[in-house]
């Protein structure tokens, strides 16, 4: 598997490793060092069309397998992902930058989705419905939707693939995966596992390439019945509009701008620790990471001091090095955006508690940004409205529940929110009042394979995870039977 980091790679279509028809490649960089670490085929529309054809041919036989048979393929995938977690984590860190331990955690988490959906494959239940006349029998059954295109982002190169592909395959849908062009090597490692597990040809296909080149094929090809996407809101809107012509089903997991609310009755040390996890994991490049940190007035000073103490201890560096907590940002563009947010906030009156600049180590040519804390942040600043996607913690003060709910809900996004309090009534009131799909109460890591992942407002359409995730790949069908005599 390690050869993935040295060779010209291939895509996987109809059970074979293939080059792009054009023979062109896209280089993959290590964001910590700036070095090229591999290359993948620059797939174009005909490559995507071939993979979609293969998936379409595989649909009926795959859907026709018994749930237990599909379950077995998924369970074997789970086992192999766990077995290879270290190898895949090294690839993931090399192309994405996150610390090796986080990368391994991600691979194991991805494996969990295969385990969970290996079970769920067996529970595609229908329903019988009491009829209005004695002569009728009514039932609702659920059937796989057909060929699914999954488009995934670079911030979780393994997890996002698993959360989409595992339920689709479990439901009986073949898939065509288009991973992010910045992190396609982890996808290749996962497809090597699919090959070893022996999925029938065409059930799982991988097309690498540039999103804007392949997008039109996914939208216009009539054989694609469903598009599931995680990425930017802008591309999500493009896919939603583009899918209207054929009424393709879509699931979109888009950006977030999570409020992280700490009340003065909370356990402050636990909230600080949670803030470090929520804000600095993956260098702040997660769609559910806290982007606006609301602290109740009486504890603002103490929280800020304690947070700064912890943030200063975070070790930056190449994610593959021992003991590193914060790796590089994905690229120069991301780095400049983060710096722009910080400069804008400072220019408008925010105080820099720590950090606030790009970081350079002698031996590394990557895109690093110092873990940063800003105080006195307010609504006039860019950081309060746009996703920063970087290691910057903006602290905003508030006094009452009503005030913080209004501020927290003042966003077009509605993905995750976090509330820290030891007051049970407040925990319920605030969780219920937040306009977001997910709320972590004293919990910085709410996402699990067993439960729902959902965005409200411009954060998404549809949902993933748990028993709910299967719905997105199944159509309901109503059958009414009139009995003879
Ligand atoms: P980011 O800005 O974080 O890179 P994107 O939304 O651009 O997020 O990318 C997420 C995924 O969407 C990637 O796999 C990317 O290749 C793909 N993508 C980008 N533009 C398009 C498009 N026009 N059509 C289809 N997929 C796209």
């Amino acid at each position: 598997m390690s050869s993935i980091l040295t060779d010209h790679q291939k895509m996987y279509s109809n059970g074979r490793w293939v080059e792009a028809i054009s023979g062109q490649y896209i280089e993959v960089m290590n964001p910590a060092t700036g070095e090229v670490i591999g290359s993948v085929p620059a797939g174009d529309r005909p490559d995507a069309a071939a993979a979609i054809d293969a998936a379409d041919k595989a649909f009926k036989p795959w859907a026709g397998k018994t749930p237990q048979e599909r379950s077995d393929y998924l369970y074997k995938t789970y086992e192999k992902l766990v077995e290879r977690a270290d190898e895949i984590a090294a690839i993931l860190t090399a192309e994405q930058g996150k610390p090796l331990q986080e990368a391994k955690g991600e691979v194991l988490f991805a494996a969990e989705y295969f385990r969970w959906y290996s079970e769920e494959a067996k529970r595609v239940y229908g329903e019988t419905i009491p009829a209005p006349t004695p002569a009728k029998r009514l039932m609702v059954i659920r059937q796989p939707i057909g060929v699914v295109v999954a488009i995934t982002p670079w911030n979780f190169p393994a997890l996002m693939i698993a959360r989409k592909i595992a339920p689709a395959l479990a439901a009986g849908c073949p898939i065509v995966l288009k991973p992010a062009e910045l992190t396609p090597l982890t996808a290749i490692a996962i497809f090597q596992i699919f090959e070893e597990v022996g999925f029938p040809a065409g059930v799982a296909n991988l097309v690498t390439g540039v999103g804007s080149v392949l997008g039109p094929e996914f939208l216009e090809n009539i054989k694609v019945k469903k598009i599931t996407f995680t990425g930017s809101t802008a591309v999500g809107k493009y896919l939603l509009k583009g899918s209207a012509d054929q009424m393709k089903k879509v699931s979109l997991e888009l950006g977030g701008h999570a409020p992280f609310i700490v009340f003065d009755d909370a356990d402050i040390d636990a909230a600080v620790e949670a803030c470090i996890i929520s804000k600095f994991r993956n260098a702040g490049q997660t769609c559910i990471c806290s982007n606006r940190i609301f602290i109740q007035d009486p504890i603002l000073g103490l929280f800020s001091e304690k947070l700064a103490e912890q943030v200063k201890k975070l070790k930056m560096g190449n994610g593959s090095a021992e003991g590193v907590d914060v790796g590089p940002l994905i690229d120069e563009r991301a780095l400049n955006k983060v710096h722009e947010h910080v400069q804008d906030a400072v220019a408008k009156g925010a105080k820099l508690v720590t950090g606030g600049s790009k970081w350079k180590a002698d031996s590394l040519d990557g895109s690093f940004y110092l873990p940063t804390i800003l105080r006195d942040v307010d609504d006039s600043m860019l950081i309060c409205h746009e996703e920063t996607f970087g290691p910057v913690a903006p602290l905003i003060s508030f006094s009452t529940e009503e005030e913080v709910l209004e501020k927290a809900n003042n966003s077009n996004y509605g993905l995750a929110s976090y509330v820290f309090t030891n007051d049970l009534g407040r925990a319920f009131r605030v969780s219920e009042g937040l306009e977001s799909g997910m709320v972590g109460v004293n919990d910085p890591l709410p996402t699990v394979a067993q439960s729902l992942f959902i965005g409200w407002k411009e954060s998404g359409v549809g949902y993933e995870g748990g028993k709910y995730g299967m719905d997105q790949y199944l159509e309901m069908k109503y059958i009414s039977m009139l009995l003879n005599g």
Side-chain angles (χ1 to χ4, degrees):
M1 206 171 256
S2 53
S3 67
I4 288 177
L5 292 178
T6 55
D7 299 332
H8 263 344
Q9 293 304 310
K10 293 185 174 168
M11 316 185 275
Y12 195 68
S13 188
N14 202 20
R16 291 186 309 117
W17 292 98
V18 297
E19 291 179 7
I21 295 165
S22 68
Q24 301 293 307
Y25 287 88
I26 299 174
E27 287 183 338
V28 182
M29 305 255 293
N30 181 329
T33 63
E35 288 162 2
V36 173
I37 52 169
S39 64
V40 297
D44 207 332
R45 287 189 66 160
D47 302 290
I52 293 165
D53 276 344
D56 187 54
K57 288 202 183 75
F59 174 44
K60 287 267 155 57
W62 181 246
K65 286 200 182 294
T66 65
Q68 184 62 59
E69 284 171 324
R70 285 199 298 275
S71 168
D72 291 342
Y73 285 102
L74 291 175
Y75 195 80
K76 281 185 202 144
T77 305
Y78 155 73
E79 287 182 316
K80 284 193 184 285
L81 279 168
V82 172
E83 215 175 278
R84 307 273 180 83
D86 286 314
E87 283 170 79
I88 302 176
I91 293 166
L92 201 160
T93 291
E95 67 176 352
Q96 201 274 344
K98 68 179 64 177
L100 208 48
Q101 274 314 306
E102 270 186 45
K104 185 169 178 188
E106 182 185 335
V107 176
L108 294 174
F109 193 11
E112 274 310 312
Y113 279 89
F114 281 94
R115 177 156 71 161
W116 169 265
Y117 285 108
S118 75
E119 294 299 327
E120 213 54 21
K122 295 176 270 185
R123 299 188 187 115
V124 181
Y125 300 142
E127 225 172 353
T128 56
I129 295 157
T133 77
K136 279 195 175 190
R137 297 293 181 272
L138 314 181
M139 66 200 95
V140 171
I141 63 168
R142 293 154 87 211
Q143 293 181 300
I145 203 163
V147 173
V148 171
V149 165
I151 304 173
T152 52
W154 50 263
N155 60 341
F156 288 94
L159 183 62
M160 295 301 116
I161 292 176
R163 200 153 73 195
K164 295 179 183 313
I165 288 186
L169 293 176
C173 299
I175 57 102
V176 175
L177 172 71
K178 208 304 279 173
E181 43 272 59
L182 296 171
T183 58
L185 302 177
T186 303
I188 289 171
I190 292 173
F191 271 72
Q192 288 184 348
I193 286 179
F194 287 158
E195 184 187 29
E196 281 176 35
V197 163
F199 280 92
V203 168
N205 307 275
L206 172 67
V207 179
T208 52
V210 174
S212 55
V213 170
L214 296 165
E217 184 63 32
F218 298 145
L219 290 170
E220 290 166 28
N221 193 314
I222 191 75
K223 292 176 180 165
V224 175
K225 301 298 182 225
K226 162 97 195 186
I227 297 178
T228 171
F229 168 82
T230 296
S232 62
T233 299
V235 175
K237 287 181 179 177
Y238 159 79
L239 293 172
L240 186 59
K241 285 182 191 151
S243 56
D245 271 350
Q246 296 174 7
M247 283 297 164
K248 280 190 209 303
K249 305 292 183 278
V250 287
S251 300
L252 308 170
E253 294 297 348
L254 309 175
H257 206 267
F260 184 101
I261 305 169
V262 187
F263 285 97
D264 62 3
D265 62 69
D267 175 337
I268 296 191
D269 290 329
V272 166
E273 198 184 318
C275 188
I276 295 282
I277 294 169
S278 167
K279 184 66 251 185
F280 297 99
R281 180 171 70 106
N282 202 9
Q285 303 172 108
T286 81
C287 46
I288 62 163
C289 75
S290 44
N291 218 76
R292 292 167 295 154
I293 300 166
F294 295 101
I295 311 295
Q296 203 164 18
D297 295 325
I299 56 164
L300 179 63
L302 185 60
F303 187 91
S304 169
E305 270 168 40
K306 284 180 178 262
L307 186 66
E309 213 175 282
Q310 295 304 318
V311 165
K312 285 178 191 158
K313 287 189 201 152
L314 295 174
K315 189 175 163 204
M316 293 207 78
N318 189 335
S320 63
E322 192 67 33
V324 165
D325 302 298
V326 181
L329 295 175
I330 190 71
D331 58 17
E332 196 73 19
R333 193 168 61 110
L335 186 64
N336 291 335
K337 181 182 178 191
V338 170
H339 195 44
E340 188 199 338
H341 276 197
V342 172
Q343 284 181 314
D344 169 81
V346 170
K348 290 176 180 159
K351 287 197 194 68
L352 206 50
V353 178
T354 181
S357 58
K358 299 177 185 178
W359 179 83
K360 194 130 187 50
D362 295 342
S363 54
L364 297 171
D365 204 16
S367 34
F368 292 91
Y369 201 82
L370 278 178
T372 298
I373 302 175
L374 292 167
R375 260 184 81 164
D376 300 344
V377 170
D378 68 43
D379 240 19
S380 68
M381 301 167 190
L382 270 182
I383 205 162
C384 275
H385 303 283
E386 290 181 14
E387 266 190 304
T388 308
F389 243 55
V392 182
L395 306 187
I396 308 162
S397 68
F398 74 92
S399 54
T400 65
E401 260 180 55
E402 295 70 32
E403 179 198 347
V404 79
L405 270 176
E406 194 183 319
K407 283 185 173 171
N409 289 338
N410 181 22
S411 171
N412 293 337
Y413 292 113
L415 195 60
S417 303
Y418 305 89
V419 187
F420 289 79
T421 178
N422 279 325
D423 177 330
L424 194 56
R426 174 173 269 169
F428 274 108
R429 280 191 304 275
V430 176
S431 307
E432 290 165 9
L434 283 163
E435 295 169 4
S436 69
M438 297 172 282
V439 182
V441 179
N442 299 326
D443 181 3
L445 292 170
T447 315
V448 291
Q450 293 80 355
S451 191
L452 183 64
F453 193 97
I454 183 169
W456 286 15
K457 302 201 256 187
E458 291 190 23
S459 289
V461 169
Y463 39 78
E464 297 184 320
K467 68 173 183 176
Y468 314 100
M470 295 288 285
D471 290 348
Q472 304 289 304
Y473 304 99
L474 295 164
E475 285 274 38
M476 288 195 286
K477 183 182 281 174
Y478 165 51
I479 302 174
S480 171
M481 194 183 291
L482 182 60
L483 305 183
N484 291 332

